[in-house]
Amino acid sequence: MDLLTKESTEFPVPENGDAVLGYSTDRDYRSVRAFSNSWMKPLIEGKSFHHCNEGLKITDSLKNSLEIGSGFDVLCNDLFYALANGDSVVADQTDWKTMRNFSEQIAIRPKEFTGKVAKKNEEAFAEWQMLNMHKKIISETNYKKILEMIKSVATNEKWAEYLSGSIWQPCIYWWEEGLPMKAKLDHVVTKEGKLIPVEIKTSNTVVEEEFCKKAFNTSYDLQLVHYDTALRQYYKNEEIGVFRFLVCENQSPYESTYFFADEEMYDSGRKKRSYCIRKIKEYLSKGTPLTKYPKSEETKRLVPPPYSRKFLESLETLNG
């Protein structure tokens, strides 16, 4: 699959073989040569296959958001594992015996290593980087935010209902329409005989209308259909329940809440995903290699955007 230019690990399932479930680090998962919902997302935005391979452009604000999201997800898993096992948990303490995942996967950058590191600290900083080279790094400021968020969700019964006893971050690999596919889910919980996929999201807002708009614009609908497909490929004889989103604000007052995906969200995701698969298959059928740089020789029209119409109409009224 010459479209997958950055992936280096061979796909673990022989063509037409049964789907496989496993567990792996983010780095190992990303290296597997297969199509994910994240890889497909730029196609929905009208971008080229080159953009699919480039992945997210990490701006400073996005880096900060990703720091909070990754640390929060890991600590959530530790929290609800602790609660499910009857352990007492104090959210602002850092010595829970059940914080093993957080300490293994996340490193908190000390203040003296923030910004431009002083010359006297350079050797110690280099050693700290070496010791934590396989971990996700977060700042102390973001760690304090994460603890505030944990205090919020620790008392939210919906979160406990959908995270206690869940399977955490299973990776599923399968073939679909001749294409290798992969998905790494947040959580899967069994309730009333159904397997329910659960995704943790952090957001600057949990207001229903605003979050629904964000969910569509950032293709959460594509994500939930891709994950639903993964579960159906692996758990062929199980009933798959409706997708849940557990959402917590990443700023004060750190409200935590719960959304479920309705049929319209599924329908939207199916249309987006079908479009992406069609585009991939069309490209592969041509047998032309991906060029180094994207280019388009198609003639394109430059027209005023739809939102400008009211403004232009108001000018026309004034001119009249």
Side-chain angles (χ1 to χ4, degrees):
M1 296 288 175
D2 74 318
L3 282 176
L4 303 166
T5 58
K6 287 197 171 181
E7 290 77 1
S8 57
T9 305
E10 289 304 312
F11 193 60
V13 183
E15 192 161 1
N16 299 319
D18 290 335
V20 169
L21 184 148
Y23 298 89
S24 64
T25 63
D26 284 346
R27 181 183 306 215
D28 289 343
Y29 168 76
R30 285 196 297 268
S31 74
V32 175
R33 294 178 61 81
F35 297 103
S36 66
N37 57 289
S38 299
W39 193 96
M40 296 178 190
K41 183 183 169 186
L43 296 179
I44 297 298
E45 299 165 353
K47 296 178 181 177
S48 70
F49 289 116
H50 296 75
H51 293 96
C52 296
N53 284 312
E54 287 298 313
L56 281 174
K57 294 295 183 185
I58 308 299
T59 60
D60 288 341
S61 61
L62 181 57
K63 180 181 179 182
N64 193 58
S65 178
L66 291 173
E67 265 193 25
I68 294 173
S70 59
F72 178 63
D73 186 43
V74 177
L75 200 50
C76 270
N77 180 66
D78 285 342
L79 167 70
F80 287 101
Y81 179 88
L83 293 175
N85 284 277
D87 295 336
S88 60
V89 171
V90 181
D92 56 358
Q93 291 184 357
T94 58
D95 58 351
W96 317 344
K97 64 183 178 182
T98 49
M99 280 181 68
R100 64 202 186 291
N101 287 307
F102 190 84
S103 60
E104 286 174 2
Q105 297 184 34
I106 307 292
I108 302 167
R109 183 191 293 268
K111 285 182 180 178
E112 61 267 28
F113 299 156
T114 301
K116 184 172 175 57
V117 178
K119 194 169 184 64
K120 65 178 181 179
N121 293 329
E122 286 179 353
E123 187 175 338
F125 179 50
E127 183 180 350
W128 182 85
Q129 284 183 306
M130 183 66 68
L131 289 172
N132 295 289
M133 62 186 298
H134 297 302
K135 295 182 179 181
K136 293 176 181 175
I137 309 300
I138 65 174
S139 66
E140 287 191 4
T141 300
N142 282 340
Y143 179 57
K144 289 176 182 176
K145 279 191 175 185
I146 290 168
L147 288 180
E148 292 299 318
M149 294 160 71
I150 286 292
K151 291 176 189 178
S152 172
V153 303
T155 56
N156 190 316
E157 292 182 4
K158 276 292 184 185
W159 283 61
E161 180 182 345
Y162 284 101
L163 292 183
S164 298
S166 64
I167 302 170
W168 187 48
Q169 294 191 336
C171 301
I172 301 177
Y173 306 93
W174 73 101
W175 285 92
E176 184 179 349
E177 297 190 35
L179 301 175
M181 299 285 184
K182 65 180 179 181
K184 186 171 186 176
L185 292 77
D186 259 6
H187 295 263
V188 180
V189 66
T190 302
K191 285 179 62 63
E192 299 176 354
K194 297 179 181 179
L195 288 169
I196 298 175
V198 181
E199 183 79 6
I200 292 176
K201 295 291 186 186
T202 61
S203 177
N204 59 0
T205 179
V206 294
V207 174
E208 186 171 354
E209 183 179 349
E210 291 300 311
F211 186 75
C212 287
K213 186 189 301 181
K214 175 182 178 179
F216 180 80
N217 290 340
T218 53
S219 287
Y220 290 175
D221 48 354
L222 170 65
Q223 178 186 26
L224 73 88
V225 169
H226 191 72
Y227 288 4
D228 180 81
T229 303
L231 289 171
R232 293 180 190 282
Q233 288 283 337
Y234 183 74
Y235 295 102
K236 296 181 184 297
N237 299 317
E238 302 285 345
E239 188 173 356
I240 310 301
V242 174
F243 207 103
R244 265 70 170 179
F245 288 96
L246 302 179
V247 188
C248 185
E249 283 182 312
N250 53 20
Q251 58 190 11
S252 182
Y254 303 104
E255 181 179 347
S256 58
T257 189
Y258 153 90
F259 291 83
F260 72 91
D262 71 1
E263 186 53 39
E264 193 172 354
M265 192 76 166
Y266 274 91
D267 185 55
S268 170
R270 289 187 197 102
K271 289 174 181 175
K272 287 183 178 181
R273 191 167 179 273
S274 295
Y275 169 82
C276 292
I277 290 174
R278 179 175 61 80
K279 294 287 286 185
I280 293 169
K281 291 175 69 176
E282 283 177 358
Y283 173 83
L284 292 174
S285 68
K286 295 175 183 176
T288 53
L290 201 64
T291 57
K292 183 175 181 180
Y293 301 106
K295 63 179 180 179
S296 172
E297 297 175 355
E298 173 189 351
T299 302
K300 297 178 180 179
R301 289 192 307 154
L302 184 63
V303 297
Y307 62 78
S308 69
R309 288 172 187 163
K310 283 189 178 180
F311 171 71
L312 294 172
E313 287 171 2
S314 67
L315 291 182
E316 190 175 27
T317 302
L318 291 172
N319 289 338

